[in-house]
Amino acid sequence: MKKRVAAVCGAATMVAGMLAAAPAAAAPTLSVQHAALTWKDCGTKNYPKLQCSSVRVPLDHDRPGGEQITLALSRVRHTAKTSQGPLLVNPGGPGGSGLTLAGFVAHELPKSVAARYDVVGFDPRGVGKSKPALNCRPKHFATVRPPSVPSTPAIERADLDRARAFAKACTTKYADVLPYFDTVSTVRDMDEIRAALGAPQLNYFGYSYGTYLGAVYAKLYPQRVRRLVLDSIVDPGGVWYDDNLGQDHAFNARHQAFLAWVARHDATYKLGKDPARVEAEWYAMRDAVQKKPAGRTVGAAELEDTFLPGGYFNGYWPYLAEAFAAYVKDKDPAPLVAAYKKLGAVDASGDNGYSVYTAVQCRDARWPRNWNQWRDDNWQAAEKAPFSTWNNAWYNAPCAFWPTSPLDPPDVSNDDLPPVLLFQATDDGATPYEGGVAVHRELHGSSLVVERGGENHGISLSGNACVDRYLADYLRTGKVPRGGGEADATCKKRPDPKPLTKKGAAGPPPSRGVRLHGLMGFRG
């Protein structure tokens, strides 16, 4: 089996290298001819107009007559007399399901704008309702895991064993398909979706990792891009090892911002007015649950998983602060366990998402195969960014042992696009600001809208009226703001959240931001 995997990977590497190096005019042609899609109602309480369908695409796009896989699709149809075509949406990942996102985007856009588009979501290959759906090692995140920080050789060995076990499980179950899980293959799937929809061009709106999908699609198919919106932008120059190290520092800054917010609301949480004291309390809590997991469920690693979503979206801060204060001041672990189950726990869909995440990221680019380099780089990062560095390292560690050979990431620089709209918050933790600036330079003629002081990952359709006006105007007319300097336009950030008015609330109150970030998920 190992010999077979090596042979397949070698061929796929050569093909992807040819793709990455090909000029824009040599974009891949369609692999198959598609019959008209059959749509069925699959509406939900929140999004009753959703319809669902599916499309068959080749597992290997260079062998269109070979094995086929199925991609699940959703849409909300246009209602205006004339349509601007499909608006394909993606929430990020890799591994994120986009089926419900179509309903969210259609609902949150101004009615006059949404009415002109078929808003289309999809589960990328391997994800959710697409077939096959990957699940390498069910319950890989079952509690209680070894601590993240490898403070002893025994802890490091335990975490390394988990990483190796996950890579081995993926190899055992999916050796024949893993060579075809990568960003370029997903992008070629997106063009098959465009063809199946009968559209000569594609409108696209992606968050997070979805921005990388959009940039690569634009590189391979520039003539098929009609409108392109990228929100919270991946730095293509760091795919993926360096980008993850960059995240560590950005997430640490977001965690520090959370602790400072708790200190400002000392009248509510009584954890101290000095952020340094609040920080000491948080790390003391992590030490405590490492020795005695809260509710026999939340150890040190699970605690980091629980608070990491606060680095993506500050709307979670009041809920996290309630759990933090209850554990430290009231010696009550129940709110902490509830917060973990709400924000940090990984269910079966999370197992699926993580399997696709690793399959794509480990295949997409080169990762160090010598664990000594991981150890040195992450200890160095952890000295300045202790909050989530090692948690993030172990999340990605299967890539050190991955069975497939790596590809070379495509160069996304592009001179051949219509106006493109980019959104970026200056203090984004998951995709730091520098990524938005880099892609703005790479996509010539693009326009960058910056949320100054913005702290969240995913800023459009999340409650900032200024940002949403730029989005609506672009989708309505195709026009983008133009300005001098690094950004073409700026918006003020939304106000920080306030403490909950009702102590012990079951979770964050529903809002556009909460709904969006529930669909985006975490880690991408």
Side-chain angles (χ1 to χ4, degrees):
M1 182 163 58
K2 290 182 180 178
K3 289 183 180 179
R4 182 181 181 188
V5 171
V8 172
C9 291
T13 300
M14 182 176 67
V15 168
M18 293 167 61
L19 268 177
T29 57
L30 284 173
S31 300
V32 295
Q33 297 297 317
H34 294 284
L37 297 175
T38 300
W39 295 92
K40 297 180 179 180
D41 290 339
C42 60
T44 66
K45 179 180 179 181
N46 291 330
Y47 309 115
K49 296 181 180 180
L50 274 174
Q51 297 177 321
C52 291
S53 187
S54 64
V55 63
R56 300 276 285 174
V57 301
L59 173 66
D60 177 359
H61 283 279
D62 293 311
R63 294 178 58 245
E67 182 178 352
Q68 303 287 300
I69 60 175
T70 301
L71 305 180
L73 306 177
S74 67
R75 76 171 180 185
V76 176
R77 292 196 67 187
H78 72 279
T79 55
K81 291 183 179 179
T82 58
S83 169
Q84 298 206 43
L87 175 62
L88 189 67
V89 298
N90 180 272
S97 168
L99 299 183
T100 305
L101 183 66
F104 173 84
V105 170
H107 183 268
E108 297 300 335
L109 284 172
K111 290 182 179 179
S112 61
V113 175
R116 298 288 299 277
Y117 288 93
D118 289 337
V119 183
V120 179
F122 70 110
D123 278 354
R125 55 175 56 202
V127 175
K129 294 184 178 180
S130 292
K131 297 177 181 179
L134 303 190
N135 192 343
C136 294
R137 191 172 184 244
K139 299 185 178 179
H140 179 70
F141 292 94
T143 59
V144 175
R145 307 199 308 273
S148 297
V149 179
S151 54
T152 69
I155 292 174
E156 184 175 29
R157 283 195 300 271
D159 280 313
L160 278 171
D161 287 345
R162 287 185 70 253
R164 287 193 182 97
F166 189 86
K168 182 178 180 180
C170 285
T171 306
T172 300
K173 295 176 73 171
Y174 302 115
D176 290 345
V177 300
L178 286 182
Y180 307 104
F181 279 81
D182 58 86
T183 293
V184 169
S185 293
T186 301
V187 162
R188 295 181 74 174
D189 290 343
M190 289 163 54
D191 203 54
E192 299 284 357
I193 293 171
R194 176 201 58 78
L197 293 169
Q201 290 184 304
L202 195 65
N203 305 287
Y204 178 80
F205 179 12
Y207 292 97
S208 192
Y209 167 74
T211 67
Y212 187 56
L213 287 176
V216 176
Y217 183 88
K219 181 67 175 184
L220 294 184
Y221 306 100
Q223 75 280 9
R224 295 174 190 164
V225 174
R226 183 174 180 272
R227 288 180 190 158
L228 184 66
V229 182
L230 309 180
D231 183 333
S232 303
I233 300 164
V234 167
D235 185 348
V239 173
W240 290 111
Y241 184 74
D242 289 343
D243 277 350
N244 275 283
L245 289 171
Q247 274 189 339
D248 298 334
H249 295 275
F251 275 128
N252 195 76
R254 301 306 323 126
H255 188 58
Q256 297 257 327
F258 163 69
L259 299 171
W261 180 87
V262 172
R264 288 198 300 274
H265 293 284
D266 181 59
T268 299
Y269 302 116
K270 305 186 186 306
L271 290 165
K273 296 181 179 180
D274 180 0
R277 178 183 168 186
V278 179
E279 182 177 24
E281 292 280 16
W282 194 89
Y283 283 102
M285 175 173 64
R286 189 174 73 171
D287 290 342
V289 297
Q290 179 170 329
K291 294 174 183 175
K292 183 181 179 181
R296 300 181 180 180
T297 302
V298 180
E302 290 77 22
L303 184 78
E304 294 155 357
D305 292 346
T306 303
F307 281 78
L308 186 63
Y312 285 83
F313 177 52
N314 64 9
Y316 296 130
W317 286 2
Y319 182 52
L320 293 169
E322 288 273 346
F324 179 15
Y327 183 85
V328 173
K329 304 302 293 186
D330 302 333
K331 311 302 179 187
D332 181 5
L336 197 60
V337 174
Y340 167 71
K341 291 180 178 179
K342 185 82 173 180
L343 297 177
V346 176
D347 57 12
S349 65
D351 284 333
N352 165 238
Y354 180 63
S355 296
V356 177
Y357 172 95
T358 51
V360 171
Q361 291 221 339
C362 299
R363 174 70 165 145
D364 256 2
R366 300 181 187 279
W367 294 76
R369 294 293 180 146
N370 185 335
W371 183 253
N372 290 332
Q373 182 177 343
W374 290 70
R375 182 189 293 114
D376 292 345
D377 289 345
N378 282 281
W379 273 123
Q380 184 176 353
E383 289 180 4
K384 295 182 178 180
F387 166 56
S388 64
T389 291
W390 277 108
N391 187 294
N392 196 22
W394 296 120
Y395 196 83
N396 291 282
C399 293
F401 313 105
W402 205 246
T404 62
S405 58
L407 304 176
D408 292 323
D411 170 13
V412 302
S413 62
N414 211 319
D415 296 314
D416 301 317
L417 296 175
V420 170
L421 186 60
L422 312 176
F423 291 111
Q424 187 68 44
T426 55
D427 297 335
D428 186 344
T431 52
Y433 178 71
E434 293 75 16
V437 174
V439 171
H440 185 27
R441 289 195 302 264
E442 296 281 6
L443 304 185
H444 299 160
S446 63
S447 180
L448 177 62
V449 177
V450 171
E451 187 182 54
R452 292 288 176 199
E455 302 163 322
N456 293 331
H457 181 63
I459 60 173
S460 58
L461 304 184
S462 189
N464 188 317
C466 172
V467 168
D468 290 350
R469 277 196 301 272
Y470 285 113
L471 174 64
D473 288 346
Y474 175 68
L475 291 178
R476 185 181 291 113
T477 67
K479 294 181 180 179
V480 296
R482 297 296 185 191
E486 195 170 72
D488 294 280
T490 60
C491 293
K492 294 181 180 179
K493 75 163 196 168
R494 298 188 66 222
D496 284 344
K498 296 180 180 180
L500 300 177
T501 56
K502 182 180 179 182
K503 188 174 181 180
S511 67
R512 297 175 75 193
V514 168
R515 289 194 293 273
L516 172 63
H517 288 85
L519 295 172
M520 289 179 67
F522 308 114
R523 303 283 184 176

